[in-house]
Amino acid sequence: EPEHAFPVQYSYAALDFPAGISVATLFDAGGRVLAESLFFNPPRQKEEVIISIEEYRDNAMRVVLQHDFLHEPAPRELSVSITGTAVTGYDSHQWDMVSYMYLFSDLQALPELPERVLAGDENNHFLANLLMLTSTWERYHWTDILAEDEPEVVFERKEGFPVFGSLEPTSQSKALELSSFEITLQVKEQEFFKSSGTDSEVNFVFQGLDINGEFEAELGVMGLRGSRAQSIELFPHVFSFEDFPLNFQIQPLPQSRGSNWKRGVSPLPRPSQRKLELRDELSYSYGSPDQVIYFRENDSRYRDMREVLRGRVSGVTVDGNNITFRGPSSILLSNNPYILIDGQEYSSGQFLALSPFNISHIEIFKGTSASIFGVRGSTGAIVGHSRRSAVPRQIILQYILSGYYLPRDFKLADVLDAFTRHTTVDYEQTLNWQPSLRFDENGLYQIVLPVNDNHAEIRVSVEGVSTEGKVISNSARLIRE
């Protein structure tokens, strides 16, 4: 380096850069980052939608929106919200589309007064520079760019919304590694029917639902290869507002203990309303067996059921084709247990000759547990399920789910009586909201709405995105006498 190095200065024209946050990076000859700085170029918003507010008869207001179709392309999606407050100068619209798209989406720490940063005048230029110097850039890292590791697209367009969940297999299914299920979702009113399997972690997902408001859905659960589910949970790991209501008054817990502190027992967490226990009706359709023996697929440990009874069932004697459970016996009648395979009665000889390859599991009933079979179960019972019948019948669950939000109907009584239900003077009441504006052939959109005498200030906000991807945001206020 030279003995007397002079700082290198570089200037740029603000118009050469897009609106929002940009980053300037200084590299050395080896491609290492030496310094990095952020700078903010305020958006130059143009009033593409002209807002007019006027008093209209008694306790009524007329809002007219006008868009110049001749000189500007038609907006792709625009929404309008009209609010009223009992005090003037109250502003809760700091977190709008412009502040997020141009400022918040690239910063880890959010400024308290974003409108001052977005103003772009000389008085607030110093504030914007301080914010850039103390903020962290989080969109990408140069090491990833140099390694040709492209950043992930954050705002990927979604076609519809998903319905997802997870299953909890029974302990026996886990031990035998039988955790494969087929899930079906049916929405009758929309003629929507899809089928999906579970992944290695027993999760499932259905994509592409495009339904407005609440709808009824039927979810079918069927175990494959003898798999059995203990419970099902829709939307796991999603925060439930029923368990912990969020509001703006929540404060962090103090770190120091007060004088009235004492140790207590924490209550157990409540089970999620989205989790349902599933009953396995097929395995214990004849009551509660004394023992259940499951077999893996292609189980080569046993050649026939004779070896299974001798090695796995306690209190049983196998002599030739005779099977005897320890307990009451008969001199004149057969002591063989009552045997059913897939609901069909088998002799002891037929049962002992069966291969475990074809059997999913068997249930052993002795003594009082076999009384469900009546006189035929007096010497015990064996109930077997082949692999073909071991697949449980599909369990159908009915849910009421929420689709895309439907804008509520703003009625006259709701508008006029709202301030009687809210005592705070800074309460901001939504008078009207239209999520999708449709201008007429002259580029006009008109709204007539009632107002309350307590509405000291009316605010109209229009936000959206043009067909060219440009953010549109405009607002107007009316101070009432």
Side-chain angles (χ1 to χ4, degrees):
E1 296 181 356
E3 182 178 357
H4 300 286
F6 295 95
V8 178
Q9 295 184 355
Y10 175 78
S11 61
Y12 68 92
L15 296 178
D16 295 337
F17 292 88
I21 299 176
S22 298
V23 58
T25 308
L26 179 63
F27 300 90
D28 64 5
R32 293 177 301 175
V33 177
L34 298 180
E36 197 169 61
S37 178
L38 305 181
F39 57 93
F40 181 73
N41 197 13
R44 294 170 292 277
Q45 292 295 107
K46 180 181 179 181
E47 293 186 0
E48 298 192 13
V49 178
I50 300 176
I51 305 175
S52 301
I53 312 174
E54 61 180 6
E55 297 278 356
Y56 182 74
R57 297 178 182 175
D58 295 333
N59 290 329
M61 189 75 58
R62 178 163 58 187
V63 177
V64 179
L65 308 177
Q66 183 175 6
H67 185 273
D68 189 359
F69 286 163
L70 297 179
H71 301 90
E72 295 291 340
R76 181 172 182 178
E77 288 293 340
L78 280 182
S79 64
V80 59
S81 65
I82 305 175
T83 58
T85 58
V87 295
T88 59
Y90 174 68
D91 189 5
S92 65
H93 293 266
Q94 301 178 10
W95 316 90
D96 56 10
M97 180 179 291
V98 174
S99 60
Y100 180 81
M101 296 296 292
Y102 291 108
L103 193 61
F104 297 154
S105 59
D106 282 330
L107 299 181
Q108 293 182 349
L110 305 182
E112 294 183 358
L113 300 174
E115 70 278 2
R116 294 181 58 186
V117 180
L118 295 170
D121 53 23
E122 295 182 359
N123 296 331
N124 296 313
H125 182 69
F126 180 71
L127 176 63
N129 287 338
L130 288 179
L131 179 63
M132 295 299 103
L133 288 174
T134 56
S135 298
T136 304
W137 178 264
E138 64 173 4
R139 181 179 294 184
Y140 60 82
H141 299 282
W142 278 112
T143 53
D144 298 334
I145 299 299
L146 295 176
E148 297 184 356
D149 185 7
E150 297 181 357
E152 180 183 359
V153 177
V154 179
F155 298 100
E156 181 182 357
R157 181 176 176 85
K158 298 294 184 181
E159 299 295 338
F161 59 89
V163 170
F164 58 93
S166 62
L167 290 171
E168 178 70 17
T170 61
S171 56
Q172 190 66 39
S173 293
K174 291 181 180 178
L176 299 177
E177 299 180 355
L178 299 176
S179 301
S180 180
F181 298 88
E182 180 182 359
I183 314 296
T184 59
L185 178 65
Q186 183 175 7
V187 183
K188 295 182 179 180
E189 54 195 35
Q190 296 287 332
E191 297 183 356
F192 181 92
F193 180 85
K194 282 190 176 182
S195 178
S196 173
T198 53
D199 59 13
S200 58
E201 298 181 355
V202 207
N203 299 319
F204 62 90
V205 61
F206 297 94
Q207 298 282 3
L209 276 77
D210 188 4
I211 305 174
N212 298 323
E214 290 188 346
F215 62 95
E216 296 182 2
E218 289 187 352
L219 204 64
V221 181
M222 178 175 288
L224 304 178
R225 298 184 298 125
S227 304
R228 301 192 183 282
Q230 176 177 321
S231 64
I232 182 174
E233 183 175 8
L234 280 187
F235 311 113
H237 313 301
V238 176
F239 184 83
S240 175
F241 289 93
E242 298 176 356
D243 300 334
F244 188 76
L246 286 176
N247 58 71
F248 292 103
Q249 311 303 324
I250 293 177
Q251 299 292 333
L253 293 176
Q255 300 299 321
S256 60
R257 299 173 180 174
S259 58
N260 60 344
W261 178 86
K262 64 178 181 179
R263 189 179 299 277
V265 180
S266 300
L268 295 176
R270 294 183 300 168
S272 171
Q273 297 292 331
R274 300 181 297 269
K275 188 172 184 179
L276 297 177
E277 299 292 332
L278 302 181
R279 295 182 58 186
D280 192 351
E281 299 179 357
L282 182 60
S283 297
Y284 306 104
S285 55
Y286 294 99
S288 301
D290 296 286
Q291 187 177 359
V292 181
I293 301 173
Y294 290 86
F295 303 100
R296 299 186 179 94
E297 278 192 281
N298 302 323
D299 199 336
S300 59
R301 293 174 297 173
Y302 312 102
R303 290 178 297 179
D304 51 29
M305 301 306 297
R306 187 187 306 271
E307 293 185 0
V308 174
L309 294 181
R310 288 176 175 175
R312 299 286 300 276
V313 181
S314 60
V316 64
T317 301
V318 180
D319 183 12
N321 287 334
N322 295 320
I323 305 172
T324 305
F325 288 157
R326 189 179 303 160
S329 59
S330 173
I331 300 178
L332 300 178
L333 301 177
S334 171
N335 291 317
N336 287 317
Y338 181 55
I339 301 175
L340 288 176
I341 305 296
D342 292 346
Q344 183 70 31
E345 186 173 354
Y346 272 54
S347 66
S348 57
Q350 292 174 317
F351 172 74
L352 293 173
L354 291 176
S355 170
F357 276 58
N358 302 320
I359 301 298
S360 169
H361 61 281
I362 60 174
E363 304 168 5
I364 307 299
F365 298 83
K366 307 176 188 176
T368 57
S369 64
S371 59
I372 192 173
F373 300 97
V375 178
R376 294 175 296 179
S378 59
T379 54
I382 299 176
V383 177
H385 300 273
S386 68
R387 294 206 173 273
R388 182 177 59 184
S389 68
V391 178
R393 63 190 179 95
Q394 190 178 42
I395 302 175
I396 303 297
L397 304 172
Q398 294 183 342
Y399 289 91
I400 297 179
L401 303 177
S402 297
Y404 289 117
Y405 178 75
L406 287 174
R408 67 180 178 90
D409 185 17
F410 293 88
K411 299 179 181 179
L412 176 63
D414 295 338
V415 173
L416 298 181
D417 297 340
F419 278 85
T420 62
R421 302 191 301 269
H422 300 275
T423 58
T424 57
V425 294
D426 59 350
Y427 168 69
E428 186 175 18
Q429 181 192 7
T430 300
L431 305 179
N432 199 291
W433 176 60
Q434 299 295 331
S436 183
L437 296 182
R438 293 294 180 263
F439 295 91
D440 60 17
E441 63 275 7
N442 298 319
L444 296 177
Y445 188 90
Q446 178 176 284
I447 302 175
V448 177
L449 68 156
V451 292
N452 193 292
D453 291 336
N454 292 325
H455 290 145
E457 180 175 308
I458 305 297
R459 179 185 176 113
V460 180
S461 297
V462 177
E463 289 188 330
V465 181
S466 68
T467 54
E468 299 175 347
K470 180 182 178 181
V471 177
I472 300 175
S473 180
N474 190 21
S475 63
R477 300 170 185 252
L478 175 65
I479 307 299
R480 302 183 68 199
E481 298 296 336

